Amino acid sequence: MELIDGKKTSTEIKQEIAEEVKKIIANGGRAPHLAAVLVGHDGGSETYVAHKIKSCEEVGFKSSLIRFEDDITEDELLKTVAKLNDDSDVDGFIVQLPLPKHIDEQKVIEAIDPKKDVDGFHPVNLGRLVAGLDTFVSATPSGIVDLLKRYNIPTAGKHCVIIGRSNIVGRPLSILMSQKGVDATVTVCHSRTENLKEITKTADILVAAIGKPGFVTADMVKPGCAIIDVGTTRVKSDKTKSGWKLCGDVDFENVAPLCSYITPVPGGVGPMTICSLLKNTLKAGKQR
Ligand code: NAP
């Protein structure tokens, strides 16, 4: 079994991005600028946004953080989105999810200019992905495909089973994995799937994007398959300073010995998601 080191791979990709930024600046251009909008004080969101801003610094991007308390109205947030759409200094921006319940997330996503939607969540970008057109691919699926490529894990003709059909992970990943050049045969499973175990046991590549710690157990896995664990659930722990630890969707201890490759949590898919966001921002900067 080989551990897929998302941290190491993401460091390599960040170095490549940093080189490109240096070249842009040497040629008289300006550094790409990513803005992040953060509403409220959700612990997970605070951490993710802090990592994104820190990664921008590492590769030489300009970044800005726009913060609001969680009583901001939907209208105020939409006005901020409109302002960022019009700000010629900002190449791309993200609105960190989840948003407070009184704000319609989909409305906010659809208000973002697709040309600045570096998260790739806008229906125009999702639609372009489906049509096989150039687009901002949502960050997590794009990071997963990068990991498979960098570890030379064969995908052509292989059976990829994805558990989860969300618009940010499972669904776009299923499209990417079946695209020409990746060429996997894809099955998407969800909470209404019957005989899940029989299906997962036929997977050459099994992706778990559910949000239920330890959901994928050893009896669900074909020996020798590659496993990508997307799940990141905060679980109480008395062994950490913070009082919680991050848990994946796979029962790592019992599943890892069976597979050819597996991503750890943390340190697998997470760092790659940030890299893809940086790649999209670089692309947005070049296109403008
Ligand atoms: P989500 O929107 O809640 O979707 C979860 C999916 O799992 C749904 O499609 C759901 O099916 C399916 N599911 C739930 N219970 C199931 C069951 N018993 N059997 C089969 N399928 C089941 O979650 P998400 O946004 O895709 O995120 C999934 C996980 O990935 C979360 O832990 C999240 O924190 C993590 N995540 C990590 C990163 C990263 O960078 N590492 C990025 C994004 C998300 P239905 O559609 O039928 O409800």
Side-chain angles (χ1 to χ4, degrees), residues 48 52 121 139-141 144 162-171 188-193 196 208-213 215 220 229-234 246-249 264-274:
Y48 295 137
K52 287 168 188 174
F121 294 165
T140 304
I144 291 170
I162 301 168
I163 317 176
R165 57 176 165 182
S166 72
N167 282 345
I168 62 167
V169 189
R171 181 88 63 206
V188 181
C189 302
H190 45 76
S191 65
R192 305 295 301 272
T193 298
L196 182 65
I210 313 154
K212 294 191 173 163
F215 182 90
M220 294 171 77
D229 189 351
V230 186
T232 46
T233 307
R234 281 184 173 205
L246 218 50
C247 281
D249 287 340
V265 176
V269 173
M272 292 301 292
T273 297
I274 295 182

Side-chain angles (χ1 to χ4, degrees), residues 138-275:
S138 49
T140 304
S142 165
I144 291 170
V145 173
D146 274 352
L147 269 185
L148 294 171
K149 282 188 181 156
R150 289 202 178 225
Y151 273 80
N152 293 316
I153 295 171
T155 53
K158 300 297 176 193
H159 188 201
C160 173
V161 175
I162 301 168
I163 317 176
R165 57 176 165 182
S166 72
N167 282 345
I168 62 167
V169 189
R171 181 88 63 206
L173 180 65
S174 70
I175 296 157
L176 268 188
M177 289 299 295
S178 64
Q179 266 180 353
K180 278 211 161 99
V182 184
D183 297 320
T185 304
V186 180
T187 303
V188 181
C189 302
H190 45 76
S191 65
R192 305 295 301 272
T193 298
E194 290 180 358
N195 304 323
L196 182 65
K197 197 198 290 185
E198 273 66 52
I199 299 169
T200 57
K201 280 184 95 158
T202 66
D204 302 303
I205 301 167
L206 178 60
V207 182
I210 313 154
K212 294 191 173 163
F215 182 90
V216 174
T217 47
D219 58 338
M220 294 171 77
V221 169
K222 177 170 84 174
C225 83
I227 302 220
I228 305 291
D229 189 351
V230 186
T232 46
T233 307
R234 281 184 173 205
V235 174
K236 272 190 185 161
S237 168
D238 50 17
K239 291 191 181 114
T240 62
K241 242 192 200 168
S242 58
W244 55 266
K245 62 175 183 169
L246 218 50
C247 281
D249 287 340
V250 177
D251 171 13
F252 187 90
E253 198 182 315
N254 294 306
V255 170
L258 296 174
C259 20
S260 52
Y261 294 91
I262 187 164
T263 57
V265 176
V269 173
M272 292 301 292
T273 297
I274 295 182
C275 264

Side-chain angles (χ1 to χ4, degrees), residues 36 45 63 83 175:
S45 297
S63 64
K83 241 173 141 177
I175 296 157

